Amino acid sequence: MDHDLSGNGARSLALDIRGVTKHFSHGGARTLALDNVDLQVEAGEFICLLGPSGCGKSTLLNIVAGFMKADAGTVRSHGRVVTRPGVDRCVLFQQPTLYSWLTTRENVMFGPKMTGVDKGTARQRASELLERVGLGAFQDHYPHQLSGGMRHRVAYARALINKPDILLLDEPFAALDAITRVSMQDFLLDLWQQEKTTILFVTHDVEEASLLADRVCVMSARPGRIHDISRVDIPRPRTQATVETDEFIRTRRALRETLEKALVHP
Ligand SMILES: Nc1ncnc2c1ncn2[C@@H]1O[C@H](COP(=O)(O)OP(=O)(O)O)[C@@H](O)[C@H]1O
Ligand SMILES: [Mg+2]
């Protein structure tokens, strides 16, 4: 089903989040984690959810993933109401969960094999994807023989083999050392430009959001609400050289100010 954001039918909506509210009850206390969240994401868009720890970013991502149910409101993925996890939405975690007893290639082809794709086809697709993520020479290596960044790239190849429409990433690079994080940001930007998937990316890092996003959705804490949605007009392709530009510095400053306001006046 196509939705029209702009009135001219230019692009369709990948995600349509309407009135999403979520409480948690814990030891008699009730936390309003998300309060009436609305967000529309266009197909192919890179959107960052930015906010302080505890503002409900992971809760929103988990509801979009179908891992958790909202108390009120709905999420639609390409027009279909989300009620459970689905192959249209792929979640990548902070720690890539690879099978230690399988080679890189076997890890990537595991999903398609389980869904009945014949072994030769799965193997070929896995090899192509591993080439694409720069691991063509590591197909027969086991996870423990790879660096942290390489293991992450295997996880992306394994996600992409299912051709998801939407990638959901919850602070995926937060646990990486600074050098690996920078190379993974460049890697993800490249991949996104090739694959044209929609990306919903959670971060608490203003610099990361400024570098990656088409739009940044700034959340305020407790209850989690959308405080502001800002478009980032820095030209693409963006690389680490982008962070030196005046435009980037201006964007980062404006975003930091917006985040500070969200904390003071949620
Ligand atoms: N399973 C849960 N049970 C109780 N409270 C929760 C649970 N998950 C999250 N919360 C609470 O909901 C709020 C939002 O959490 P979360 O979505 O993890 O925030 P973020 O990812 O932005 O750090 C926090 O106050 C957190 O303590
Ligand atoms: Mg979180």
Side-chain angles (χ1 to χ4, degrees):
M1 184 156 78
D2 278 350
H3 289 261
D4 187 350
L5 263 189
S6 55
N8 60 14
R11 294 179 85 171
S12 66
L13 274 191
L15 279 177
D16 189 6
I17 300 169
R18 302 262 171 192
V20 166
T21 296
K22 177 76 182 172
H23 294 86
F24 290 108
S25 297
H26 193 67
R30 224 165 120 80
T31 310
L32 179 57
L34 293 174
D35 184 21
N36 200 18
V37 169
D38 281 329
L39 177 64
Q40 282 75 46
V41 183
E42 293 177 35
E45 199 175 15
F46 198 133
I47 193 136
C48 282
L49 282 181
L50 176 70
S53 177
C55 75
K57 303 181 296 297
S58 295
T59 303
L60 184 57
L61 190 116
N62 284 326
I63 290 171
V64 172
F67 296 152
M68 207 182 254
K69 284 206 181 340
D71 300 334
T74 52
V75 175
R76 286 188 171 78
S77 161
H78 290 278
R80 275 190 299 276
V81 175
V82 167
T83 54
R84 61 174 81 90
V87 285
D88 55 322
R89 287 152 288 132
C90 180
V91 185
L92 282 148
F93 298 97
Q94 234 177 55
Q95 298 298 339
T97 47
L98 304 178
Y99 298 121
S100 59
W101 61 92
L102 296 179
T103 64
T104 301
R105 189 198 296 109
E106 288 164 346
N107 264 286
V108 177
M109 59 193 275
F110 185 82
K113 256 180 69 190
M114 291 308 280
T115 56
V117 175
D118 77 85
K119 200 173 161 187
T121 308
R123 190 182 158 89
Q124 193 191 337
R125 271 167 49 193
S127 292
E128 284 165 13
L129 277 166
L130 284 166
E131 289 286 349
R132 186 149 0 140
V133 302
L135 293 174
F138 294 87
Q139 308 209 14
D140 296 315
H141 284 57
Y142 287 87
H144 75 272
Q145 297 173 304
L146 305 177
S147 70
M150 288 162 126
R151 283 200 287 271
H152 273 267
R153 285 186 276 150
V154 178
Y156 281 87
R158 201 174 54 180
L160 292 171
I161 204 163
N162 297 318
K163 297 191 168 48
D165 297 318
I166 304 168
L167 289 179
L168 303 173
L169 310 177
D170 192 351
E171 310 211 26
F173 309 143
L176 298 174
D177 64 81
I179 292 170
T180 311
R181 179 161 64 242
V182 158
S183 84
M184 284 305 297
Q185 288 169 344
D186 285 345
F187 164 76
L188 181 63
L189 282 172
D190 264 2
L191 199 72
W192 169 69
Q193 296 215 286
Q194 287 171 39
E195 300 292 325
K196 309 204 167 23
T197 50
T198 308
I199 297 186
L200 182 63
F201 186 107
V202 165
T203 183
H204 62 261
D205 182 340
V206 172
E207 175 139 339
E208 187 165 65
S210 310
L211 179 65
L212 299 178
D214 289 325
R215 285 188 301 151
V216 181
C217 173
V218 177
M219 292 180 69
S220 55
R222 279 194 206 98
R225 289 190 183 126
I226 293 184
H227 173 81
D228 179 79
I229 300 180
S230 312
R231 191 166 286 283
V232 178
D233 286 324
I234 302 168
R236 298 190 186 269
R238 299 181 198 155
T239 65
Q240 294 303 320
T242 305
V243 305
E244 313 288 342
T245 62
D246 290 345
E247 210 170 2
F248 181 87
I249 292 164
R250 270 199 305 277
T251 301
R252 186 179 54 192
R253 184 183 306 129
L255 213 48
R256 183 163 294 136
E257 284 168 9
T258 305
L259 187 60
E260 281 162 8
K261 280 191 204 130
L263 297 179
V264 181
H265 305 289

